[in-house]
């Protein structure tokens, strides 16, 4: 069955760029579905960040759009998230997930702390 | 932005009892709502989509209903593994601007 696994640094300095990758197993990204990111904080709860389709469509949460880029590498069957100019409020558990509307498969999540 | 409001924030029940969780949207969604279950240290798990369709592998004790702005998730007879946090999520708009409720914690009484 399809599996998603997030990877990336657990600690990011303020004002720097957060970079995460989601590796997809047992399913080809090019076979369909949208793929995206959701984060979770104690204060704001679950927050949808962005999603994309392998052929190019990309969508962003308007509140984050100016700082976020989502991309896909079909040769590696993975997709990525970059968030620049991070602050302490970007400290969260970041999940990658499958789905355009609702998310039916999720990664286990990775904790990212923004701190100097 | 569509705001999703869940109630109650916490629900304390005993195994075998019936649980009813509510989610209200700030504008009509049609049936474009999903429900998730989350246990500590785990990712959310999809339970229901399109307001009332159970996801693959979800037991039939979980049922969703509602339309417009009022939605409910019912667990007919609580099992020990059902005590968790439950979230609703709307997906009414495209391009997407998905939003989640703040969650209902279902705890053992």
């Amino acid at each position: 069955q399809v599996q998603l696994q997030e990877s990336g640094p657990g600690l990011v300095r303020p004002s720097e760029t957060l970079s995460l990758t989601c590796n997809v197993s047992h399913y080809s990204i090019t076979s369909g579905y949208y793929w995206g990111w959701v984060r979770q904080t104690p204060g704001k709860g679950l927050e949808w960040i962005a999603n994309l389709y392998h052929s190019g469509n990309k969508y962003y949460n308007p509140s984050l759009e100016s700082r976020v880029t989502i991309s896909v590498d079909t040769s590696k069957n993975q997709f990525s998230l970059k968030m620049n100019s991070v602050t302490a409020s970007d400290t969260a558990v970041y999940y990658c997930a499958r789905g355009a509307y609702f998310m039916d498969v999720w990664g286990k999540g990775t904790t990212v702390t923004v701190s100097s | 932005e569509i705001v999703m409001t869940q109630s109650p924030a916490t629900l304390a029940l005993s195994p075998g009892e019936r649980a009813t969780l509510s989610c209200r949207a700030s504008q009509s969604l049609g049936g474009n709502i999903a429900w998730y279950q989350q246990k500590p240290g785990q990712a959310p798990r999809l339970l229901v989509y399109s307001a009332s369709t159970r996801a693959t592998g979800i037991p039939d004790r979980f049922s969703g209903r509602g339309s417009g702005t009022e939605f409910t998730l019912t667990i007919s007879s609580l099992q020990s593994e059902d005590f968790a946090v439950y979230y609703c999520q709307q997906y009414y708009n495209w391009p997407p601007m998905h939003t989640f409720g703040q969650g209902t914690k279902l705890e053992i009484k």
Side-chain angles (χ1 to χ4, degrees):
Chain A
Q1 69 189 51
V2 58
Q3 293 180 335
L4 282 65
Q5 178 67 59
E6 305 88 352
S7 61
L11 179 65
V12 182
R13 306 298 184 194
S15 80
E16 295 190 344
T17 297
L18 177 162
S19 295
L20 297 174
T21 297
C22 182
N23 188 67
V24 181
S25 304
H26 311 296
Y27 189 87
S28 173
I29 282 181
T30 59
S31 293
Y33 286 100
Y34 274 73
W35 306 87
W37 294 91
V38 175
R39 70 181 180 179
Q40 186 171 31
T41 63
K44 292 190 70 176
L46 290 162
E47 182 177 30
W48 176 77
I49 300 172
N51 65 18
L52 61 70
Y53 196 70
H54 68 86
S55 59
N57 293 349
K58 300 176 182 180
Y59 300 102
Y60 297 96
N61 185 323
S63 69
L64 298 170
E65 185 168 12
S66 63
R67 300 193 293 125
V68 171
T69 302
I70 190 171
S71 61
V72 64
D73 186 336
T74 55
S75 67
K76 296 181 179 179
N77 211 42
Q78 59 188 206
F79 60 100
S80 298
L81 177 75
K82 291 188 185 298
M83 179 182 294
N84 60 34
S85 305
V86 297
T87 68
S89 63
D90 295 311
T91 294
V93 178
Y94 286 77
Y95 296 99
C96 57
R98 183 180 79 171
Y101 300 99
F102 51 86
M103 281 65 79
D104 67 341
V105 182
W106 295 64
K108 294 183 185 298
T110 187
T111 299
V112 177
T113 301
V114 179
S115 176
S116 55
Chain B
E1 176 180 312
I2 298 174
V3 178
M4 305 296 284
T5 303
Q6 292 186 242
S7 61
T10 304
L11 183 59
L13 294 170
S14 301
E17 290 193 295
R18 181 185 187 91
T20 301
L21 288 65
S22 297
C23 182
R24 173 178 292 176
S26 60
Q27 67 179 72
S28 179
L29 305 178
N32 296 317
I33 185 173
W35 290 91
Y36 301 86
Q37 176 194 69
Q38 187 178 34
K39 296 180 179 179
Q42 297 184 15
R45 172 195 182 198
L46 178 67
L47 299 175
V48 168
Y49 60 92
S50 297
S52 60
T53 303
R54 275 188 300 276
T56 302
I58 301 303
D60 61 6
R61 65 180 181 274
F62 291 90
S63 63
R65 63 181 299 169
S67 65
T69 62
E70 301 284 342
F71 301 89
T72 58
L73 175 72
T74 300
I75 310 170
S76 59
S77 178
L78 286 167
Q79 307 298 303
S80 58
E81 61 267 30
D82 299 336
F83 292 94
V85 180
Y86 292 83
Y87 295 96
C88 59
Q89 177 232 325
Q90 66 79 19
Y91 50 93
Y92 180 73
N93 293 310
W94 194 266
M97 183 45 232
H98 307 325
T99 52
F100 294 83
Q102 80 280 17
T104 290
K105 182 178 182 181
L106 182 56
E107 62 182 32
I108 300 176
K109 188 174 183 180

